[in-house]
């Protein structure tokens, strides 16, 4: 089975901290995505990447950055965490040809206090 | 831009009831359409998909038909079970591009 693994299920950080959320996929997928999920708002795209060292802004990139140094790993970085970034973060990947659809990780629930 | 509008929840039904969750979309091209399900404490799982007009996706008793004329992809199930309680998301994408999601519908099935 394709697996997308997010390093932490639950995370509590303080306001102003730099936060790293890690995502690793094992199916050699070219495309990787970071979404945040909030009640009543569904999933909103933060950043995505179609190749190593490539990144593109999604719908809500403010306050976030990403890193893709290796094909299997896509990291989301909160430069200076704020309470309004408390949310569920979901990583997803898909092959460049779109085969078999997207695979999602289990999510990281981040609380910023 | 592309967008998805989904029936607002929460939806509460009794076991064995008929389920419909409405989903309509706006797209500039010819997107693929998806329903994802999220069980408590888990990530999203693909429930079903359709890639072109009049396609019907089906899985676990759920069905949805890609209706280009009404730009809709409504989710249906004839007889729901308690284990179907979850949050359901309608989504669209073009190729391997980003997914655009609806806001999600929380479904609770009572025994």
């Amino acid at each position: 089975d394709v697996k997308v693994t997010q390093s932490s299920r639950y995370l509590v950080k303080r306001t102003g901290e730099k936060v790293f959320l890690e995502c690793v996929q094992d199916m050699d997928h070219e495309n990787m995505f970071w979404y945040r999920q909030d009640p009543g708002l569904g999933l909103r795209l933060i950043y995505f990447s179609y190749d190593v060292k490539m990144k593109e802004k999604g719908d809500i990139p403010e306050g976030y950055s990403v890193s893709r140094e290796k094909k299997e790993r896509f990291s989301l970085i909160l430069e200076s965490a704020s309470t309004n970034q408390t949310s569920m973060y979901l990583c997803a990947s898909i092959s460049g040809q779109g085969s078999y659809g997207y695979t999602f990780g289990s999510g990281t629930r981040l609380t910023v206090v | 831009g592309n967008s998805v509008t989904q029936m607002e929840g929460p939806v509460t039904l009794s076991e064995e009831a008929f389920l419909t969750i409405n989903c309509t979309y706006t797209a500039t091209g010819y997107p693929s359409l998806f329903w994802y399900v999220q069980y408590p404490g888990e990530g999203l799982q693909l429930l079903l998909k359709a890639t072109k007009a009049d396609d019907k996706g089906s899985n676990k008793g759920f069905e949805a038909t890609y209706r280009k004329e009404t730009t809709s992809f409504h989710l249906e199930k004839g007889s729901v079970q308690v284990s179907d309680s979850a949050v359901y998301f309608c989504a669209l994408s073009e190729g391997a591009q980003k997914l655009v999601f609806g806001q999600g519908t929380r479904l609770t099935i009572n025994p």
Side-chain angles (χ1 to χ4, degrees):
Chain A
D1 279 353
V2 176
K3 284 192 76 172
V4 176
T5 303
Q6 295 184 231
S7 54
S8 305
R9 290 297 300 272
Y10 300 94
L11 214 51
V12 179
K13 295 293 182 181
R14 296 192 180 277
T15 300
E17 275 193 79
K18 190 168 186 177
V19 181
F20 293 86
L21 302 183
E22 305 289 344
C23 175
V24 178
Q25 49 92 6
D26 66 359
M27 277 300 290
D28 204 36
H29 284 172
E30 289 80 7
N31 303 343
M32 298 186 74
F33 306 82
W34 274 106
Y35 291 87
R36 67 175 280 178
Q37 180 183 6
D38 300 288
L41 297 177
L43 279 78
R44 294 177 291 168
L45 182 64
I46 305 171
Y47 266 97
F48 58 106
S49 170
Y50 290 150
D51 202 350
V52 176
K53 296 194 186 295
M54 290 185 66
K55 60 185 179 184
E56 293 195 40
K57 293 180 179 179
D59 300 317
I60 52 164
E62 295 78 21
Y64 303 94
S65 63
V66 290
S67 172
R68 189 141 182 228
E69 296 297 318
K70 294 185 178 181
K71 190 175 186 179
E72 67 270 19
R73 186 180 297 270
F74 190 37
S75 303
L76 179 69
I77 304 158
L78 285 66
E79 298 291 343
S80 176
S82 64
T83 55
N84 63 12
Q85 292 178 310
T86 292
S87 187
M88 170 72 89
Y89 290 87
L90 290 163
C91 177
S93 72
I94 188 172
S95 72
Q97 295 75 33
S99 307
Y100 308 114
Y102 296 79
T103 301
F104 280 83
S106 298
T108 297
R109 185 166 293 283
L110 172 68
T111 302
V112 182
V113 298
Chain B
N2 296 345
S3 66
V4 175
T5 302
Q6 196 175 328
M7 173 179 172
E8 288 191 27
V11 174
T12 302
L13 296 172
S14 298
E15 206 165 20
E16 299 184 2
F18 184 86
L19 168 72
T20 301
I21 301 178
N22 290 337
C23 172
T24 57
Y25 68 91
T26 302
T28 51
Y30 301 94
S32 295
L33 301 174
F34 306 84
W35 277 100
Y36 282 84
V37 59
Q38 185 179 35
Y39 298 104
E42 298 184 14
L44 271 69
Q45 300 175 25
L46 179 65
L47 181 60
L48 54 84
K49 68 176 183 179
T51 56
K52 61 182 188 297
D54 300 325
D55 268 1
K56 177 186 282 189
S58 62
N59 186 25
K60 299 182 181 180
F62 291 89
E63 293 183 340
T65 301
Y66 190 141
R67 301 282 188 203
K68 188 169 182 293
E69 63 277 11
T70 55
T71 61
S72 64
F73 193 55
H74 304 320
L75 182 68
E76 296 183 335
K77 186 175 185 182
S79 177
V80 292
Q81 307 300 313
V82 172
S83 58
D84 294 326
S85 298
V87 181
Y88 292 81
F89 291 92
C90 186
L92 67 79
S93 75
E94 300 196 57
Q97 307 299 312
K98 60 182 180 178
L99 278 166
V100 175
F101 287 89
Q103 70 269 40
T105 302
R106 181 176 297 278
L107 174 66
T108 301
I109 307 299
N110 294 322

